[in-house]
Amino acid sequence: MVQTWGKNLPRWLLLMVAWLTCTVLLLGVSTGLIVIDALRLLGFIPLTVDKAGFILRGLFLTGGILWGVRTLIYHRWLRQACLFCGRVTTPLSARWRTFARNAGYFSCIPALFYGGLKVYWSAGGSLGYINREVALATGHVGQLDYTAILAALAVVLALALVQPWGEKLPRWLVLFVAFGACALLTIGGIVGLATVLFQIMSSTHLPFAVGGLLFPIFIVTYVCFLFWGIMLGIAACYFTHRTRRWCKHCQMGS
């Protein structure tokens, strides 16, 4: 991204690798554990601090932030946009705005499917499980699954990205949650599908079930995660574009 020979590489590939690297550094290593380490260091949690791990996670967190900033600048430079606000002189096409807006509604589909499936299992349904008695005994069905609540909140988030009332919410909070959920869902879908593919390739025959749950349920769920994450990310970009304020550098905005 900073050397001249980088111009010869496919831009989409370079951006994809850069954003994935940033996401893995921020979400996969640093964010949760470094907060716990900080609370331990300040004495809020009465446990010893792993100083070496704390420093290492701090380096990962710093690297993730720097990767993200540099990738964002590079992306805006490629688009010939303002480096500070990301606006371009040519407005977005009506077709793209329509698709980006509809992406928010599209992301509600996998959220409703996933949440509905969890509610069904919580109510005692056993569709997808080989043995109902075992699923009940292990708590996979018949008990409240709080991820159904998260799925309902995800629907509210998706609607906030494309509905006018979403602009009344704190912009930084909406974007932080939206892009964080987008990254988690996309990575979860990709890793899950890769795991399923690995199991298929390493088995002499197609697996029928894993952990008592039918194998096709895993495939459908991970495909939903991937589609969900992509659509949510597009809707978040649409929200970012339409809620930008006036920029003193490019003199654009309201």
Side-chain angles (χ1 to χ4, degrees), residues 138-164:
T138 55
H140 290 140
V141 301
Q143 295 185 9
L144 177 61
D145 192 332
Y146 291 98
T147 55
I149 301 176
L150 294 178
L153 293 176
V155 173
V156 177
L157 172 64
L159 294 177
L161 293 174
V162 296
Q163 290 290 326

mmCIF file of all heavy atoms in Angstrom, residues 138-164:
data_model
loop_
_atom_site.group_PDB
_atom_site.id
_atom_site.type_symbol
_atom_site.label_atom_id
_atom_site.label_comp_id
_atom_site.label_asym_id
_atom_site.label_seq_id
_atom_site.Cartn_x
_atom_site.Cartn_y
_atom_site.Cartn_z
ATOM 1 N N THR A 138 -28.971 -32.478 27.374
ATOM 2 C CA THR A 138 -27.777 -31.632 27.292
ATOM 3 C C THR A 138 -28.115 -30.141 27.269
ATOM 4 O O THR A 138 -27.202 -29.312 27.288
ATOM 5 C CB THR A 138 -26.973 -31.987 26.027
ATOM 6 O OG1 THR A 138 -27.835 -31.886 24.872
ATOM 7 C CG2 THR A 138 -26.412 -33.390 26.133
ATOM 8 N N GLY A 139 -29.409 -29.795 27.227
ATOM 9 C CA GLY A 139 -29.787 -28.391 27.260
ATOM 10 C C GLY A 139 -29.753 -27.685 25.928
ATOM 11 O O GLY A 139 -29.894 -26.459 25.877
ATOM 12 N N HIS A 140 -29.572 -28.447 24.849
ATOM 13 C CA HIS A 140 -29.567 -27.820 23.530
ATOM 14 C C HIS A 140 -30.953 -27.374 23.097
ATOM 15 O O HIS A 140 -31.098 -26.445 22.300
ATOM 16 C CB HIS A 140 -28.984 -28.797 22.498
ATOM 17 C CG HIS A 140 -27.522 -29.019 22.673
ATOM 18 N ND1 HIS A 140 -26.934 -30.256 22.523
ATOM 19 C CD2 HIS A 140 -26.521 -28.170 23.017
ATOM 20 C CE1 HIS A 140 -25.632 -30.165 22.746
ATOM 21 N NE2 HIS A 140 -25.356 -28.905 23.052
ATOM 22 N N VAL A 141 -31.974 -28.018 23.608
ATOM 23 C CA VAL A 141 -33.357 -27.622 23.348
ATOM 24 C C VAL A 141 -34.087 -27.576 24.689
ATOM 25 O O VAL A 141 -33.666 -28.188 25.677
ATOM 26 C CB VAL A 141 -34.075 -28.597 22.379
ATOM 27 C CG1 VAL A 141 -33.362 -28.673 21.054
ATOM 28 C CG2 VAL A 141 -34.199 -29.984 23.001
ATOM 29 N N GLY A 142 -35.191 -26.818 24.711
ATOM 30 C CA GLY A 142 -35.987 -26.741 25.923
ATOM 31 C C GLY A 142 -35.506 -25.733 26.941
ATOM 32 O O GLY A 142 -36.090 -25.605 28.018
ATOM 33 N N GLN A 143 -34.423 -24.991 26.636
ATOM 34 C CA GLN A 143 -33.909 -23.957 27.524
ATOM 35 C C GLN A 143 -33.720 -22.667 26.742
ATOM 36 O O GLN A 143 -33.420 -22.692 25.545
ATOM 37 C CB GLN A 143 -32.583 -24.377 28.176
ATOM 38 C CG GLN A 143 -32.715 -25.564 29.113
ATOM 39 C CD GLN A 143 -31.412 -25.864 29.823
ATOM 40 O OE1 GLN A 143 -30.449 -25.104 29.746
ATOM 41 N NE2 GLN A 143 -31.381 -26.993 30.552
ATOM 42 N N LEU A 144 -33.883 -21.542 27.439
ATOM 43 C CA LEU A 144 -33.790 -20.238 26.788
ATOM 44 C C LEU A 144 -32.386 -20.018 26.247
ATOM 45 O O LEU A 144 -31.392 -20.163 26.964
ATOM 46 C CB LEU A 144 -34.151 -19.121 27.773
ATOM 47 C CG LEU A 144 -34.027 -17.692 27.233
ATOM 48 C CD1 LEU A 144 -34.967 -17.482 26.058
ATOM 49 C CD2 LEU A 144 -34.284 -16.676 28.336
ATOM 50 N N ASP A 145 -32.296 -19.670 24.966
ATOM 51 C CA ASP A 145 -31.034 -19.356 24.320
ATOM 52 C C ASP A 145 -30.988 -17.845 24.089
ATOM 53 O O ASP A 145 -31.782 -17.291 23.322
ATOM 54 C CB ASP A 145 -30.920 -20.097 22.983
ATOM 55 C CG ASP A 145 -29.511 -20.043 22.416
ATOM 56 O OD1 ASP A 145 -28.789 -19.062 22.705
ATOM 57 O OD2 ASP A 145 -29.117 -20.973 21.687
ATOM 58 N N TYR A 146 -30.073 -17.185 24.777
ATOM 59 C CA TYR A 146 -30.029 -15.724 24.736
ATOM 60 C C TYR A 146 -29.554 -15.177 23.391
ATOM 61 O O TYR A 146 -29.682 -13.977 23.135
ATOM 62 C CB TYR A 146 -29.135 -15.204 25.864
ATOM 63 C CG TYR A 146 -29.721 -15.410 27.235
ATOM 64 C CD1 TYR A 146 -29.329 -16.491 28.020
ATOM 65 C CD2 TYR A 146 -30.691 -14.548 27.736
ATOM 66 C CE1 TYR A 146 -29.880 -16.694 29.275
ATOM 67 C CE2 TYR A 146 -31.240 -14.737 28.996
ATOM 68 C CZ TYR A 146 -30.832 -15.811 29.758
ATOM 69 O OH TYR A 146 -31.379 -16.015 31.004
ATOM 70 N N THR A 147 -29.011 -16.027 22.538
ATOM 71 C CA THR A 147 -28.624 -15.536 21.218
ATOM 72 C C THR A 147 -29.843 -15.150 20.386
ATOM 73 O O THR A 147 -29.722 -14.387 19.427
ATOM 74 C CB THR A 147 -27.812 -16.607 20.478
ATOM 75 O OG1 THR A 147 -28.557 -17.832 20.428
ATOM 76 C CG2 THR A 147 -26.483 -16.844 21.160
ATOM 77 N N ALA A 148 -31.025 -15.663 20.758
ATOM 78 C CA ALA A 148 -32.248 -15.237 20.080
ATOM 79 C C ALA A 148 -32.516 -13.763 20.342
ATOM 80 O O ALA A 148 -32.998 -13.037 19.464
ATOM 81 C CB ALA A 148 -33.432 -16.085 20.548
ATOM 82 N N ILE A 149 -32.191 -13.304 21.556
ATOM 83 C CA ILE A 149 -32.341 -11.882 21.877
ATOM 84 C C ILE A 149 -31.360 -11.048 21.067
ATOM 85 O O ILE A 149 -31.700 -9.962 20.572
ATOM 86 C CB ILE A 149 -32.142 -11.655 23.383
ATOM 87 C CG1 ILE A 149 -33.167 -12.468 24.180
ATOM 88 C CG2 ILE A 149 -32.235 -10.171 23.730
ATOM 89 C CD1 ILE A 149 -32.990 -12.386 25.678
ATOM 90 N N LEU A 150 -30.141 -11.551 20.908
ATOM 91 C CA LEU A 150 -29.153 -10.844 20.088
ATOM 92 C C LEU A 150 -29.608 -10.745 18.641
ATOM 93 O O LEU A 150 -29.385 -9.728 17.978
ATOM 94 C CB LEU A 150 -27.803 -11.561 20.170
ATOM 95 C CG LEU A 150 -27.108 -11.562 21.537
ATOM 96 C CD1 LEU A 150 -25.800 -12.345 21.467
ATOM 97 C CD2 LEU A 150 -26.846 -10.135 22.009
ATOM 98 N N ALA A 151 -30.243 -11.793 18.138
ATOM 99 C CA ALA A 151 -30.761 -11.768 16.774
ATOM 100 C C ALA A 151 -31.853 -10.713 16.632
ATOM 101 O O ALA A 151 -31.925 -9.999 15.615
ATOM 102 C CB ALA A 151 -31.296 -13.146 16.385
ATOM 103 N N ALA A 152 -32.710 -10.578 17.662
ATOM 104 C CA ALA A 152 -33.748 -9.546 17.629
ATOM 105 C C ALA A 152 -33.127 -8.151 17.650
ATOM 106 O O ALA A 152 -33.566 -7.247 16.924
ATOM 107 C CB ALA A 152 -34.695 -9.724 18.814
ATOM 108 N N LEU A 153 -32.091 -7.977 18.453
ATOM 109 C CA LEU A 153 -31.397 -6.682 18.483
ATOM 110 C C LEU A 153 -30.704 -6.400 17.150
ATOM 111 O O LEU A 153 -30.601 -5.237 16.727
ATOM 112 C CB LEU A 153 -30.375 -6.668 19.627
ATOM 113 C CG LEU A 153 -30.947 -6.714 21.039
ATOM 114 C CD1 LEU A 153 -29.828 -6.801 22.066
ATOM 115 C CD2 LEU A 153 -31.812 -5.481 21.304
ATOM 116 N N ALA A 154 -30.245 -7.455 16.479
ATOM 117 C CA ALA A 154 -29.613 -7.288 15.174
ATOM 118 C C ALA A 154 -30.610 -6.784 14.141
ATOM 119 O O ALA A 154 -30.254 -6.007 13.246
ATOM 120 C CB ALA A 154 -28.989 -8.602 14.718
ATOM 121 N N VAL A 155 -31.855 -7.214 14.247
ATOM 122 C CA VAL A 155 -32.892 -6.712 13.346
ATOM 123 C C VAL A 155 -33.112 -5.221 13.582
ATOM 124 O O VAL A 155 -33.224 -4.428 12.631
ATOM 125 C CB VAL A 155 -34.206 -7.495 13.553
ATOM 126 C CG1 VAL A 155 -35.334 -6.871 12.744
ATOM 127 C CG2 VAL A 155 -34.021 -8.949 13.153
ATOM 128 N N VAL A 156 -33.157 -4.822 14.854
ATOM 129 C CA VAL A 156 -33.311 -3.398 15.179
ATOM 130 C C VAL A 156 -32.125 -2.600 14.642
ATOM 131 O O VAL A 156 -32.290 -1.501 14.084
ATOM 132 C CB VAL A 156 -33.445 -3.210 16.702
ATOM 133 C CG1 VAL A 156 -33.524 -1.738 17.069
ATOM 134 C CG2 VAL A 156 -34.676 -3.945 17.222
ATOM 135 N N LEU A 157 -30.917 -3.133 14.777
ATOM 136 C CA LEU A 157 -29.724 -2.468 14.267
ATOM 137 C C LEU A 157 -29.788 -2.305 12.757
ATOM 138 O O LEU A 157 -29.479 -1.228 12.222
ATOM 139 C CB LEU A 157 -28.487 -3.268 14.659
ATOM 140 C CG LEU A 157 -27.154 -2.809 14.048
ATOM 141 C CD1 LEU A 157 -26.802 -1.410 14.529
ATOM 142 C CD2 LEU A 157 -26.033 -3.789 14.390
ATOM 143 N N ALA A 158 -30.177 -3.366 12.054
ATOM 144 C CA ALA A 158 -30.258 -3.298 10.596
ATOM 145 C C ALA A 158 -31.265 -2.245 10.142
ATOM 146 O O ALA A 158 -31.018 -1.497 9.189
ATOM 147 C CB ALA A 158 -30.629 -4.673 10.033
ATOM 148 N N LEU A 159 -32.398 -2.165 10.821
ATOM 149 C CA LEU A 159 -33.401 -1.162 10.471
ATOM 150 C C LEU A 159 -32.912 0.248 10.804
ATOM 151 O O LEU A 159 -33.218 1.208 10.083
ATOM 152 C CB LEU A 159 -34.710 -1.454 11.208
ATOM 153 C CG LEU A 159 -35.420 -2.750 10.811
ATOM 154 C CD1 LEU A 159 -36.654 -2.963 11.663
ATOM 155 C CD2 LEU A 159 -35.791 -2.728 9.328
ATOM 156 N N ALA A 160 -32.143 0.380 11.887
ATOM 157 C CA ALA A 160 -31.604 1.693 12.251
ATOM 158 C C ALA A 160 -30.637 2.220 11.196
ATOM 159 O O ALA A 160 -30.497 3.434 11.016
ATOM 160 C CB ALA A 160 -30.898 1.607 13.603
ATOM 161 N N LEU A 161 -29.989 1.319 10.480
ATOM 162 C CA LEU A 161 -29.024 1.742 9.456
ATOM 163 C C LEU A 161 -29.701 2.315 8.218
ATOM 164 O O LEU A 161 -29.071 3.077 7.472
ATOM 165 C CB LEU A 161 -28.144 0.550 9.056
ATOM 166 C CG LEU A 161 -27.203 0.011 10.138
ATOM 167 C CD1 LEU A 161 -26.519 -1.255 9.647
ATOM 168 C CD2 LEU A 161 -26.165 1.054 10.525
ATOM 169 N N VAL A 162 -30.958 1.984 7.984
ATOM 170 C CA VAL A 162 -31.617 2.395 6.737
ATOM 171 C C VAL A 162 -32.868 3.227 6.972
ATOM 172 O O VAL A 162 -33.423 3.782 6.022
ATOM 173 C CB VAL A 162 -31.975 1.163 5.884
ATOM 174 C CG1 VAL A 162 -30.719 0.431 5.442
ATOM 175 C CG2 VAL A 162 -32.889 0.200 6.654
ATOM 176 N N GLN A 163 -33.328 3.315 8.219
ATOM 177 C CA GLN A 163 -34.517 4.092 8.529
ATOM 178 C C GLN A 163 -34.124 5.474 9.057
ATOM 179 O O GLN A 163 -33.073 5.635 9.689
ATOM 180 C CB GLN A 163 -35.376 3.370 9.564
ATOM 181 C CG GLN A 163 -36.054 2.114 9.052
ATOM 182 C CD GLN A 163 -37.154 2.423 8.052
ATOM 183 O OE1 GLN A 163 -37.848 3.426 8.158
ATOM 184 N NE2 GLN A 163 -37.299 1.556 7.062
ATOM 185 N N PRO A 164 -34.971 6.500 8.821
ATOM 186 C CA PRO A 164 -34.634 7.863 9.294
ATOM 187 C C PRO A 164 -34.451 7.955 10.807
ATOM 188 O O PRO A 164 -33.628 8.743 11.279
ATOM 189 C CB PRO A 164 -35.839 8.695 8.820
ATOM 190 C CG PRO A 164 -36.406 7.937 7.671
ATOM 191 C CD PRO A 164 -36.192 6.493 7.989
#
